[in-house]
Amino acid sequence: MKKVFAALMTAFDADGNIDEQGTREIIRHDIDVEGVDGLYVGGSTGENFELGTDEKKKIFDIAWDEAGSDDVELIAQVGSPNLHEAKMLAKYVTETLGFKTISAVTPFYYQYSFDEIKHYYDEIVKDVDANLLVYSIPALTGVNLSLDNFAKLFSNPKVIGVKYTNPDFFLLERLRKRFPDKVIMSGFDEMLLPALALDVNGCIGSTFNINAKKVKAEIKAFEDGDIDRARQLQHESNDLIADLLDNGIYPSIKLVLQKMGVHAGYTREPMAHADEKVKAGADKIYQKYFAD
Ligand code: MN9
């Protein structure tokens, strides 16, 4: 069966410090209640690009300590435009901790040439015994990789695939056909069904922190050939996702988790804390989709 990974959230206290206990509770909820197959640690959903290096390490420490011996796969996102940091974190998660798979966002902010991007990936994997998934999210990074760019990145055997957070399904189809053995993980939860039709290997997403059971049912329906059922489940998930996006996705997922008894804490500034309107919106979402 295709794998479902939660893009792990980070719980922060009201001052923006990492709330270790809350983050552990999110991990336990994802594994024990949602039944995810894996966790993607240190991604956008973990507010990773708001963190300092020691804080990034702390998140990896918490995830490894809490879930390292669980029957789930763990992926550590180590990338950023700070290549020295990315290389150090790659070593840290694989050697000090025991992550087998790492991922790195395409370097952003400066408009790096493709050769610079290729060099970045080769450097990150060079001295570590780990496989890497490119994290491609053009809407947030501005970095668009072409099919030939992917071919060059994938020519490094340690670069085993991509977390594909991109609505370009023509490129997704071309990638799948040209690289049947590479791992392609779908990154837009609301587009899972068309991605399944193009034979992705699984999915990684923020909303799977609260909605993984329905997503697993959708994947099962798809694999059983019951496309009507799979489409119905995607419609239901997308009603939820549309409401979450409308109310502010990260604070809303955290507030829904809170309602589920998980101390998911606050988002970190500059991401705004939930005000009364957002809290009321999240209450409504919880009542509509999760209260029984
Ligand atoms: O990890 C997530 N991407 C971002 C992937 O949050 C930037 C997705 O799960 C989206 O949050 C989700 C809603 O658009 O698909």
Side-chain angles (χ1 to χ4, degrees):
M1 178 143 155
K2 296 174 192 294
K3 304 229 156 112
V4 177
F5 281 67
L8 181 65
M9 305 207 100
T10 304
F12 296 99
D13 68 22
D15 298 324
N17 303 302
I18 292 170
D19 173 351
E20 173 169 345
Q21 184 52 33
T23 304
R24 285 181 185 271
E25 287 185 33
I26 299 173
I27 294 170
R28 288 266 54 93
H29 171 85
D30 286 346
I31 297 172
D32 300 338
V33 180
E34 299 293 327
V36 298
D37 303 298
L39 297 171
Y40 187 84
V41 183
S44 314
T45 304
E47 297 175 63
N48 177 70
F49 306 116
E50 298 165 356
L51 301 183
T53 307
D54 287 343
E55 292 172 317
K56 293 178 185 182
K57 286 168 89 172
K58 183 163 180 186
I59 297 297
F60 293 134
D61 289 341
I62 294 169
W64 185 256
D65 184 62
E66 188 63 48
S69 55
D70 278 274
D71 187 21
V72 291
E73 291 181 35
L74 299 174
I75 301 175
Q77 194 298 120
V78 299
S80 81
N82 183 344
L83 180 54
H84 283 251
E85 181 196 68
K87 291 182 68 169
M88 184 278 288
L89 289 176
K91 268 191 172 296
Y92 182 73
V93 297
T94 56
E95 290 173 12
T96 306
L97 308 176
F99 285 81
K100 302 267 182 296
T101 309
I102 59 176
S103 182
V105 71
T106 51
F108 51 85
Y109 191 81
Y110 300 104
Q111 294 193 10
Y112 298 106
S113 69
F114 176 71
D115 286 347
E116 289 168 329
I117 294 171
K118 164 87 175 127
H119 177 70
Y120 163 92
Y121 283 107
D122 290 340
E123 279 294 308
I124 291 174
V125 295
K126 194 172 73 177
D127 299 322
V128 294
D129 182 17
N131 292 321
L132 178 139
L133 289 177
V134 173
Y135 176 16
S136 176
I137 178 159
L140 294 188
T141 58
V143 179
N144 280 285
L145 297 167
S146 69
L147 188 61
D148 287 338
N149 290 162
F150 276 109
K152 287 183 181 143
L153 297 179
F154 288 169
S155 70
N156 183 330
K158 286 179 170 175
V159 180
I160 57 160
V162 58
K163 167 165 150 51
Y164 190 85
T165 309
N166 186 346
D168 183 344
F169 277 63
F170 184 18
L171 179 60
L172 176 56
E173 181 278 334
R174 295 286 80 189
L175 275 173
R176 179 74 295 165
K177 168 136 190 298
R178 186 149 157 197
F179 308 106
D181 300 326
K182 293 291 182 183
V183 176
I184 305 178
M185 299 297 284
S186 169
F188 269 130
D189 314 1
E190 54 276 49
M191 301 176 204
L192 176 60
L193 185 54
L196 290 173
L198 292 173
D199 200 25
V200 294
N201 301 80
C203 51
I204 300 171
S206 61
T207 63
F208 309 151
N209 287 282
I210 53 176
N211 191 43
K213 280 177 280 195
K214 186 164 292 200
V215 169
K216 292 198 126 192
E218 176 181 333
I219 293 174
K220 181 164 188 319
F222 176 82
E223 292 184 340
D224 290 346
D226 189 348
I227 303 302
D228 286 343
R229 170 96 184 123
R231 192 187 302 113
Q232 172 59 29
L233 291 167
Q234 184 75 59
H235 286 320
E236 291 174 18
S237 288
N238 284 5
D239 287 344
L240 165 66
I241 293 170
D243 285 350
L244 289 169
L245 286 170
D246 197 39
N247 200 53
I249 188 156
Y250 300 153
S252 298
I253 294 175
K254 286 183 176 178
L255 289 163
V256 169
L257 280 167
Q258 202 76 34
K259 289 276 203 187
M260 292 174 168
V262 181
H263 296 101
Y266 295 80
T267 44
R268 171 145 151 167
E269 292 175 344
M271 226 177 267
H273 287 176
D275 60 16
E276 290 313 313
K277 191 165 162 276
V278 172
K279 285 183 193 159
D283 276 0
K284 251 175 96 177
I285 291 171
Y286 177 79
Q287 290 305 330
K288 184 165 162 195
Y289 298 100
F290 298 104
D292 13 59

